[in-house]
Amino acid sequence: MTSIALSAGTSEAALDALVHAVTTNQFALPDDGRVLFLRARDGHWWGGHSRARWVCQQSFKPFADALERSGLNVAEPEQDARFPLVLILPPRQRDEARALYARAARHLAVGGTVAAAVANNEGARTGEGDFRQLFGSAQVLSKHHCRVFWSTPDADAIDAGLLAQWQALDRPRPVGDGRFVSRPGLFAWNRIDAASALLAAHLPGTIRGRVADLGAGYGYLAVELLQRCAEITAIDLYEAEARALEPARINLESALAELGREVPFALHWHDVSRGLPERYDAIVSNPPFHQGRADQPELGLAFIEAAARALEPHGRFFMVANRHLPYEATLAARFSRVQTLTIQDGFKVFEASGTQA
């Protein structure tokens, strides 16, 4: 699954603080209007400044969609592109944030300014320290229980060795016992999630045909399906965090090579809550259930609805959830047969079939 809290990577307050720094002229917007905004967010007043030439990078699909609905250019910057201003909303995970600082340095024009904002309770002090370590110095503004820090570094102020080291932090790497690769900042990025492992242990070998994994993360459940179910003919992985797709591809290719099988698979950068474009014989999911620090069970409910609409009439849905989440009523409303396969270690696993309107 994807933890929306981790994928979102920042609080609304950090964005508010960054906007405040821009609109109060703590640092200047460039005359040519060219800005790179890493982990960009929208929905806030920017003082009437045109954003026509901004490049907004956002790997989390719901946020990327919101930016596009506002008419902004959502894209990955070209490798050799340089910008006079780079804005950053760093994520909480430290290796991921350091890699993002390195990315900002790579795209910063000579004489340009780089600025970041982090909420105090999301690691602002640590983030500022890392920022200073890479860029050499920082000016700081405190606002909305956040810190905004920025620098206009000299060309020789950025440590080239540290820059290369931090750039490498975002590359897919082996985790756990080496069966999988992952990257920092993904949900349960450096381990096998206990809930997903419990779901995998209760997946029957009779699953067959076209299968989907909703909120697939780095591909753990998809690999388990392929290893357990010999009659799967195709598998689709749906994931809202684009950074998970490369590790998932590597993990599926490795698993299929080890199994000596050729099973078509597809990776979809997709917001599951908006529905699925295909129909399936079986669907599995460990859905997200929180944004920030608060439970939002409606996210899991949206996954149940999407699965029910995308299943073939004979299809089966398997999901795991934290024990306290109220999913039973929606499962009963959308499926004629719902079975609790297990309740243990704070989790519950369901099998549902017989979709109902």
Side-chain angles (χ1 to χ4, degrees):
M1 67 174 269
T2 292
S3 165
I4 286 187
L6 293 177
S7 294
T10 188
S11 68
E12 291 288 341
L15 179 59
D16 289 341
L18 185 62
V19 171
H20 175 81
V22 171
T23 57
T24 57
N25 299 313
Q26 302 298 318
F27 45 85
L29 288 172
D31 291 338
D32 66 3
R34 295 179 62 252
V35 175
L36 173 61
F37 192 0
L38 299 175
R39 300 295 166 82
R41 296 287 298 276
D42 192 37
H44 293 258
W45 180 70
W46 288 90
H49 297 284
S50 171
R51 288 180 286 169
R53 300 194 68 192
W54 288 33
V55 174
C56 296
Q57 180 275 333
Q58 176 53 257
S59 60
F60 187 57
K61 185 63 171 172
F63 294 165
D65 288 346
L67 289 161
E68 288 184 336
R69 287 194 295 270
S70 294
L72 294 168
N73 176 29
V74 181
E76 295 293 327
E78 295 183 6
Q79 187 171 358
D80 59 350
R82 300 291 183 270
F83 296 83
L85 177 62
V86 180
L87 303 176
I88 320 170
L89 289 174
R92 186 176 186 180
Q93 208 286 331
R94 193 174 188 182
D95 281 357
E96 184 187 5
R98 283 177 162 180
L100 200 65
Y101 292 143
R103 189 174 192 188
R106 189 174 76 245
H107 289 293
L108 186 64
V110 175
T113 297
V114 55
V118 182
N120 292 338
N121 63 357
E122 296 289 333
R125 187 178 295 275
T126 298
E128 180 192 336
D130 286 344
F131 184 93
R132 288 179 181 273
Q133 187 178 358
L134 183 63
F135 294 106
S137 64
Q139 298 183 67
V140 182
L141 168 72
S142 293
K143 188 70 175 178
H144 301 308
H145 303 288
C146 301
R147 291 188 185 201
V148 183
F149 31 92
W150 65 95
S151 179
T152 305
D154 295 331
D156 58 354
I158 298 174
D159 185 323
L162 188 64
L163 178 63
Q165 178 185 336
W166 285 10
Q167 284 178 327
L169 293 175
D170 195 46
R171 295 173 187 161
R173 66 180 81 168
V175 295
D177 61 4
R179 289 176 58 212
F180 297 93
V181 300
S182 182
R183 62 185 355 149
L186 303 182
F187 172 73
W189 77 272
N190 59 353
R191 65 189 188 278
I192 294 173
D193 172 59
S196 293
L198 185 64
L199 175 56
H202 287 82
L203 293 174
T206 55
I207 293 174
R208 59 188 301 172
R210 298 194 66 223
V211 179
D213 178 2
L214 310 186
Y218 63 76
Y220 167 75
L221 280 174
V223 168
E224 288 289 322
L225 278 165
L226 290 171
Q227 291 175 337
R228 294 166 184 268
C229 307
E231 295 186 83
I232 290 176
T233 58
I235 188 166
D236 286 354
L237 282 68
Y238 291 89
E239 174 54 50
E241 176 52 62
R243 297 177 59 252
L245 299 182
E246 184 182 4
R249 176 188 57 78
I250 294 170
N251 290 327
L252 262 69
E253 288 177 346
S254 296
L256 289 169
E258 184 176 338
L259 291 168
R261 294 172 59 190
E262 293 186 7
V263 179
F265 69 87
L267 306 171
H268 302 272
W269 185 41
H270 187 75
D271 179 1
V272 169
S273 68
R274 301 177 72 86
L276 304 180
E278 306 289 342
R279 297 187 69 82
Y280 298 95
D281 300 297
I283 295 175
V284 303
S285 185
N286 178 1
F289 65 91
H290 59 84
Q291 184 164 1
R293 298 176 183 269
D295 282 1
Q296 289 193 335
E298 60 268 27
L299 298 170
L301 298 176
F303 273 52
I304 295 171
E305 291 287 347
R309 291 192 297 268
L311 277 172
E312 298 286 2
H314 60 271
R316 293 187 289 173
F317 177 48
F318 299 86
M319 72 169 290
V320 64
N322 284 45
R323 186 171 181 174
H324 70 281
L325 295 172
Y327 294 153
E328 285 82 354
T330 299
L331 285 166
R334 297 300 278 115
F335 296 90
S336 61
R337 295 178 296 279
V338 179
Q339 180 182 1
T340 302
L341 300 181
T342 189
I343 299 177
Q344 66 181 79
D345 302 327
F347 306 110
K348 51 192 176 184
V349 176
F350 300 105
E351 177 182 354
S353 59
T355 56
Q356 304 181 119

